[in-house]
Amino acid sequence: MVQFGSLRQLTLGSFVLALIPLIALLWQSQSDLAKVGKMTTLETRYVVDVVGDMQRLDGAVTALERSIRQFTVIRNEKVAALSDNALDQFAVAADNLCQALSVPATCDPLFEQLSQLSDYRNIEDQLLLNAYLASVSSSVTALRGEVENAIANRVKVQQDDLNAMQAKQAWSTAMLVSVSLLLILLGSQLIVNPVNKLKQIIRIVAHQKGDLPPLSRHAPRELIDVEKDLHWLHDRLQQLEHIRTALLRHAAHELKTPLASIKEGCSLLSENVVGELNNAQQEVLSLLTGSTQRLNTLVEKLLDYNLLLQQAQPKHVQTQPKKLVDACLEDYALALQEREVIVNVDVDSAWIDEELFRRILDNLVSNAVAHGALGRPINVHIYQAGKFTVLDVANRGKKIPQSSVATLFEPFTRGAEPRNDNVIGTGLGLSIVADCARLMHGDVKVVDVDYADVCFRVTIPQQEK
């Protein structure tokens, strides 16, 4: 397996590796461009040379015909010398052109005709001389056509070469760009795979479900370090979870001892062991027995309740919250009677998790009883607002300072105002309300209303998200 260095080295290495096909493509393009330039230079030089030879041949044939005709009129050595010179120039021009064209079928008759014409001094027949000159002129015309064909053929060959080179360049471009893209994808995958593994580990740590995959051995050093930190975090969270569970288990066990004594005392009172109870005492004993039984249930469900707040999924059902409100108020009947507080209840049907909603009611009503003004009513209002179920619990008393609202729902945060009862608050009630609302995908906040001094509003979607 490949051993990676740092993330920077992997990124730079992948970038350089992806550039190699592009560099090869650039080199090939430059090479093809140089070939095209060289080919263009050679073909241009060839055309220029051939056309120049043809022009010189045209001039030579004209001069040859003129000098020979002059000799037939003025027969002297001076004119004959001019004619011989014209013959030599024509022969050189024809030889150069024929070597460039390589067309013996046209050049061989021309040289034979030139050999016949070289004996012009002894030709007395003017018609024969005219025939020789006409045949030479015709051969020159044929050579001119050969020049045009040769140039056309060279242009066609050059065009074919360019088309083949373009096709080769297109295929090379497609192939090398594809290779470059594949290398880019490979390099990115070498980074994406460890990142996806980190995301998987984060999900496992967040949901506390399943075991973590083993540490990576072939990944950038920085990502391996992050993975090690996540493994350490997972172990630390499990350790803290074990400590928290043990603490709650011991707390539940220790609470059962005084609770058993309270239950035994209520049992003795209900059996009239210490004497007959009047009706008012019987009512108080009944409320005390019910609260004791409820406390026993809460102690037994302490671990389950903590699990409910941390991990459980809410179960929304269509329900009538009136029964939940009545059961909650029954638990606080003694405190309400002692403080002469009336609770105004106005509820509609709702789509909620009954267990979580009951926890919210317990803590908000307890908070209202503890901090509300004596003899002043408490309002519990459950209603529908669009697609949300809204719970308002309002009481009269001192307003909550605005500076305290931001931290009001944090654990172990207690208000500065004294309570109306003898219970020492733990500062967990409102944080439990916030947790329960969050589990039902809702929220809780303090709002201003015109009929009370303090109002806590819990907003919960009617259906689970």
Side-chain angles (χ1 to χ4, degrees):
M1 294 294 292
V2 180
Q3 182 63 43
F4 301 113
S6 66
L7 185 60
R8 176 179 296 178
Q9 291 175 347
L10 177 60
T11 304
L12 292 177
S14 301
F15 180 73
V16 172
L17 190 63
L19 281 180
I20 292 177
L22 299 180
I23 293 174
L25 177 62
L26 181 61
W27 176 82
Q28 182 180 354
S29 299
Q30 292 294 330
S31 177
D32 290 343
L33 185 61
K35 290 180 181 178
V36 169
K38 183 178 180 180
M39 182 175 61
T40 302
T41 301
L42 293 176
E43 295 300 324
T44 302
R45 182 176 298 174
Y46 173 81
V47 171
V48 171
D49 292 343
V50 169
V51 171
D53 290 340
M54 190 67 234
Q55 289 177 346
R56 284 190 291 272
L57 185 64
D58 286 338
V61 73
T62 302
L64 176 63
E65 184 177 358
R66 184 175 59 251
S67 63
I68 290 178
R69 290 189 182 281
Q70 287 177 353
F71 177 78
T72 58
V73 176
I74 306 173
R75 289 182 175 270
N76 57 33
E77 290 301 322
K78 186 176 181 180
V79 177
L82 294 175
S83 297
D84 291 340
N85 184 51
L87 278 171
D88 292 339
Q89 291 182 356
F90 181 82
V92 171
D95 184 64
N96 292 335
L97 186 60
C98 287
Q99 288 182 4
L101 294 178
S102 299
V103 283
T106 303
C107 292
D108 290 345
L110 175 63
F111 287 116
E112 291 178 2
Q113 295 164 2
L114 186 62
S115 176
Q116 294 172 353
L117 190 61
S118 64
D119 193 27
Y120 65 92
R121 286 184 179 86
N122 301 320
I123 298 176
E124 298 293 339
D125 189 354
Q126 187 67 31
L127 293 177
L128 181 60
L129 181 61
N130 290 338
Y132 285 161
L133 292 175
S135 62
V136 170
S137 179
S138 176
S139 296
V140 170
T141 301
L143 272 178
R144 187 179 296 107
E146 294 292 343
V147 168
E148 293 176 355
N149 292 335
I151 292 175
N153 291 334
R154 296 295 286 262
V155 171
K156 184 177 183 303
V157 170
Q158 186 177 8
Q159 186 64 43
D160 293 341
D161 290 342
L162 289 176
N163 292 335
M165 196 174 296
Q166 288 178 350
K168 175 186 175 183
Q169 187 71 20
W171 280 106
S172 300
T173 301
M175 182 183 67
L176 293 176
V177 169
S178 300
V179 171
S180 182
L181 290 176
L182 288 176
L183 292 175
I184 292 174
L185 292 176
L186 176 62
S188 63
Q189 197 65 31
L190 295 177
I191 300 175
V192 169
N193 287 338
V195 172
N196 288 335
K197 187 175 181 181
L198 292 179
K199 292 171 63 178
Q200 178 187 2
I201 293 175
I202 291 173
R203 285 194 294 267
I204 294 175
V205 172
H207 298 287
Q208 294 293 313
K209 293 181 179 179
D211 296 328
L212 296 184
L215 283 172
S216 300
R217 295 184 179 180
H218 307 286
R221 284 196 300 266
E222 294 87 348
L223 299 183
I224 291 179
D225 291 340
V226 174
E227 189 174 345
K228 290 180 180 178
D229 291 340
L230 290 175
H231 276 261
W232 174 85
L233 178 61
H234 180 259
D235 295 338
R236 182 60 176 166
L237 289 176
Q238 285 188 329
Q239 180 184 5
L240 294 176
E241 179 67 20
H242 293 157
I243 294 174
R244 181 175 57 83
T245 303
L247 177 62
L248 291 174
R249 185 169 59 249
H250 291 305
H253 176 74
E254 294 299 328
L255 285 174
K256 287 184 177 181
T257 301
L259 182 59
S261 300
I262 297 174
K263 290 177 65 176
E264 183 64 25
C266 292
S267 177
L268 293 174
L269 291 174
S270 63
E271 294 174 0
N272 297 322
V273 174
V274 295
E276 292 289 337
L277 303 178
N278 58 35
N279 292 335
Q281 292 172 337
Q282 288 284 354
E283 183 179 357
V284 171
L285 179 60
S286 176
L287 294 174
L288 183 59
T289 302
S291 298
T292 304
Q293 185 63 37
R294 175 168 172 73
L295 181 58
N296 182 70
T297 302
L298 291 175
V299 170
E300 292 176 352
K301 298 178 65 175
L302 184 58
L303 291 176
D304 294 337
Y305 173 58
N306 180 74
L307 182 64
L308 177 68
L309 287 181
Q310 298 299 325
Q311 299 176 1
Q313 293 295 326
K315 298 179 181 179
H316 291 71
V317 294
Q318 186 75 23
T319 185
Q320 294 293 333
K322 184 66 166 59
K323 295 181 179 180
L324 299 178
V325 175
D326 291 342
C328 178
L329 295 180
E330 183 178 350
D331 292 339
Y332 292 96
L334 285 177
L336 294 173
Q337 289 180 7
E338 181 182 354
R339 291 164 182 76
E340 299 179 352
V341 173
I342 299 175
V343 181
N344 298 319
V345 179
D346 183 11
V347 298
D348 294 332
S349 62
W351 182 272
I352 55 175
D353 182 290
E354 293 186 351
E355 182 71 18
L356 293 174
F357 198 77
R358 175 60 192 275
R359 304 303 180 196
I360 293 175
L361 279 173
D362 283 341
N363 286 281
L364 289 182
V365 171
S366 174
N367 185 79
V369 172
H371 296 282
L374 298 177
R376 302 297 302 278
I378 296 175
N379 293 81
V380 177
H381 187 194
I382 301 174
Y383 58 96
Q384 301 296 325
K387 295 182 179 181
F388 297 90
T389 297
V390 181
L391 165 64
D392 285 349
V393 178
N395 62 270
R396 282 73 175 172
K398 292 185 178 181
K399 287 183 173 291
I400 300 174
Q402 192 63 33
S403 59
S404 302
V405 173
T407 60
L408 197 61
F409 300 100
E410 295 181 1
F412 305 106
T413 301
R414 284 183 265 179
E417 298 297 328
R419 296 169 61 97
N420 295 330
D421 52 20
N422 296 324
V423 179
I424 300 176
T426 61
L428 291 175
L430 293 180
S431 69
I432 292 175
V433 171
D435 287 338
C436 292
R438 175 182 52 81
L439 286 174
M440 289 188 288
H441 310 291
D443 61 6
V444 57
K445 57 186 176 181
V446 180
V447 298
D448 293 330
V449 293
D450 55 3
Y451 59 87
D453 299 312
V454 178
C455 180
F456 288 92
R457 175 167 296 170
V458 179
T459 304
I460 300 170
Q462 289 186 6
Q463 293 185 357
E464 184 180 5
K465 291 181 180 179

